Amino acid sequence: MKEIVPSPPPVVRNEAAAVQALFQQHVVPSYGRFDLVLSHGLGAYVYDVAGKRYLDLGGGIAVSSLGHAHPAITEALVEQSRKLVHVSNYYYHEPQGRLAQALVQLIGPGKCFFCNSGVEANEGLFKLARKFGHDEGRFEILSTLNSFHGRTLAGISATGQDKVKKGFEPLVPGFRQVPFNDLQAVRDAISPATVAILIEGIQGEGGVTPATPEYLLGLRQLCDEKKLLLLMDSVQCGHFRSGRFQSFQRILEAVPGGQDFLPDAISMAKSLGGGYPIGAFWVRAPYADLLGPGTHGTTYGGSPLACAVALRILEVIQRENLADNVRKVGDYLRQGLEALARKYPAVVRSIRGLGFMLGIELAPNIQNLPGDASKMQSSRFVNMLHANSLLAIPAGPDIVRLLPPLNLRRSEAEEGLSILEIVASRLAG
Ligand SMILES: *Cc1c(COP(=O)(O)O)cnc(C)c1O
């Protein structure tokens, strides 16, 4: 494969300080950014403007499902954009119908709605739940502590982390949080106004915590008993990241009765578009027509271009059996990380997660960790990884996430582990 190196734009000569100065002057400073100015990528690698190469095990926060500059994505973009980029949802077109069919086949009987991002997919779930309970006056959605559901007002209202809500009150009414993986806590919290329960199959931003099989099966039973919708936010943990299309399929695969489990609705985004923005939700058959004509919509949602890219990604995943790759290379990564935790207990406390959604829990108060002590340990650790040419993503103060592309090779995983070992051994002194 030929490496694609874009020529620098005329004014900014792709120089790190100049690009950063543009941001400081003209971009709203709502993100805490790392000190990296990236230029291009290929597969699991990205390059900064100085030409330094990084192994990208962060995958753009679980988005770059086929890595960078994958030729199948480029081809889909080029081919489809020659035919039809956008038409609006006043009309039918083949890519949206085919993508919906593909997602339904991967999940179960139901229908899909398309939008542009994860939080927008969640908004669809919230509106679905409100519509479902409307005539009985039920509207309340129970979500979980340490969850993350996106940054709109409803998204932060659903999210179980105070830091995203602070300064934006009053929040959207009708959301309450209960502890995750605690069935009794949900049962106790149900009120006459409750209409749905919302969880992530594997909590992502909150620190890479998978739901237990008992929790999933128990929630299904509870929702059936109390006439509640069971909503799953699969924006991060879905799309084969666990080794199965949906994380609940992986969590429940060896559990008696687990194969029959289905939530009532699932939100998706991130890996679905591999970097081209697309979100979606699937809703189970009995409720699939609740949102009738005129009740919900978005101008760009499910455009021919977005759907063509998502379809092509699914084809590559299936043709190359990447679910299997995620299991094999994911197991290899996990074993390597667990060996690090055993060897450097003063640096790595534990390893969590499934497949290619792995969390490295750092030991409390690591000695010798460089950087401003007021900053999170996870960010300071990630800075050290950057210095050693590895990208990873912080999740809360003490967890570092690996969310690599689904086609990551074993040799690349090995390279990542050796960089982590260099950093861990240095910190262990
Ligand atoms: C990233 C994420 C979202 C928000 O997705 P956006 O595309 O940023 O709106 C929602 N839920 C979960 C679990 C996520 O990881």
Side-chain angles (χ1 to χ4, degrees):
M1 250 188 291
K2 232 180 81 197
E3 213 163 276
I4 301 159
V5 185
S7 51
V11 181
V12 184
R13 293 203 52 78
N14 259 0
E15 212 258 327
V19 174
Q20 285 175 312
L22 288 176
F23 274 64
Q24 259 115 48
Q25 269 197 305
H26 305 295
V27 177
V28 171
S30 67
Y31 299 97
R33 291 180 205 269
F34 287 105
D35 197 15
L36 291 183
V37 183
L38 300 176
S39 146
H40 60 286
L42 189 71
Y45 294 95
V46 280
Y47 297 77
D48 69 15
V49 289
K52 179 174 168 182
R53 190 177 86 156
Y54 301 82
L55 176 64
D56 184 3
L57 296 188
I61 325 182
V63 167
S64 311
S65 39
L66 299 184
H68 300 284
H70 195 286
I73 295 182
T74 306
E75 274 165 33
L77 283 166
V78 171
E79 279 170 24
Q80 185 59 46
S81 64
R82 285 208 176 103
K83 281 198 271 188
L84 202 56
V85 169
H86 169 83
V87 288
S88 90
N89 282 298
Y90 273 118
Y91 313 102
Y92 298 90
H93 59 84
E94 188 179 341
Q96 188 177 131
R98 285 184 49 218
L99 181 59
Q101 178 188 42
L103 297 177
V104 167
Q105 278 169 0
L106 285 162
I107 300 172
K111 290 181 179 171
C112 292
F113 175 92
F114 294 99
C115 52
N116 311 284
S117 68
V119 76
E120 220 186 316
N122 285 337
E123 182 78 18
L125 301 191
F126 306 154
K127 284 182 71 178
L128 180 82
R130 288 244 176 143
K131 198 86 169 59
F132 173 71
H134 189 262
D135 293 349
E136 297 170 346
R138 296 193 294 152
F139 59 89
E140 184 186 56
I141 297 173
L142 300 177
S143 59
T144 64
L145 293 174
N146 292 318
S147 61
F148 181 78
H149 300 295
R151 295 290 197 148
T152 62
L153 278 174
I156 63 174
S157 304
T159 294
Q161 302 187 54
D162 287 339
K163 66 178 185 201
V164 305
K165 309 185 187 206
K166 226 177 123 215
F168 297 105
E169 304 86 350
L171 299 173
V172 176
F175 292 95
R176 244 182 330 133
Q177 283 82 44
V178 292
F180 186 60
N181 272 337
D182 183 342
L183 205 52
Q184 192 56 43
V186 196
R187 192 177 275 281
D188 293 345
I190 293 170
S191 79
T194 306
V195 73
I197 294 166
L198 168 69
I199 61 157
E200 292 159 86
I202 306 171
Q203 286 191 332
E205 306 299 307
V208 194
T209 311
T212 62
E214 303 72 44
Y215 188 54
L216 291 174
L217 295 176
L219 284 180
R220 181 66 275 174
Q221 212 178 3
L222 186 60
C223 287
D224 291 342
E225 185 187 312
K226 305 276 185 191
K227 259 190 82 190
L228 310 175
L229 294 183
L230 179 55
L231 311 175
M232 291 191 71
D233 179 343
S234 292
V235 168
Q236 187 164 156
C237 66
H239 223 75
F240 300 101
R241 189 147 294 281
S242 65
R244 290 285 297 269
F245 182 61
Q246 289 294 314
S247 61
F248 63 78
Q249 295 168 333
R250 172 93 202 248
I251 293 167
L252 292 171
E253 69 186 358
V255 177
Q259 284 69 29
D260 302 327
F261 173 93
L262 269 182
D264 297 307
I266 300 173
S267 58
M268 298 167 253
K270 292 201 164 98
S271 285
L272 177 61
Y276 191 92
I278 178 170
F281 68 79
W282 165 92
V283 45
R284 197 158 70 91
Y287 313 113
D289 294 332
L290 261 179
L291 294 173
T295 57
H296 193 46
T298 162
T299 303
Y300 293 125
S303 75
L305 189 58
C307 292
V309 170
L311 273 166
R312 196 65 65 87
I313 290 170
L314 276 175
E315 276 168 32
V316 172
I317 289 173
Q318 278 159 355
R319 190 176 64 227
E320 299 183 1
N321 201 0
L322 295 183
D324 208 40
N325 186 63
V326 169
R327 278 171 186 265
K328 286 189 184 132
V329 181
D331 283 351
Y332 171 74
L333 257 179
R334 197 189 166 107
Q335 281 160 21
L337 293 171
E338 276 166 358
L340 284 184
R342 281 192 301 274
K343 198 163 166 192
Y344 304 103
V347 181
V348 179
R349 182 190 242 183
S350 76
I351 304 303
R352 40 222 284 176
L354 278 174
F356 277 180
M357 187 164 174
L358 293 169
I360 302 167
E361 188 193 357
L362 301 174
N365 305 312
I366 301 175
Q367 302 300 306
N368 319 319
L369 191 57
D372 183 347
S374 70
K375 297 256 164 70
M376 299 192 302
Q377 280 210 116
S378 55
S379 298
R380 288 151 69 202
F381 191 86
V382 165
N383 271 322
M384 277 187 87
L385 297 179
H386 290 171
N388 289 278
S389 306
L390 179 66
L391 303 191
I393 310 275
D398 295 306
I399 291 166
V400 174
R401 265 177 299 174
L402 304 183
L403 302 160
L406 307 178
N407 54 3
L408 187 81
R409 299 185 175 106
R410 192 188 153 100
S411 59
E412 292 160 343
E414 200 177 334
E415 180 186 342
L417 286 170
S418 63
I419 295 173
L420 281 159
E421 165 126 39
I422 290 169
V423 169
S425 68
R426 197 164 303 157
L427 287 172

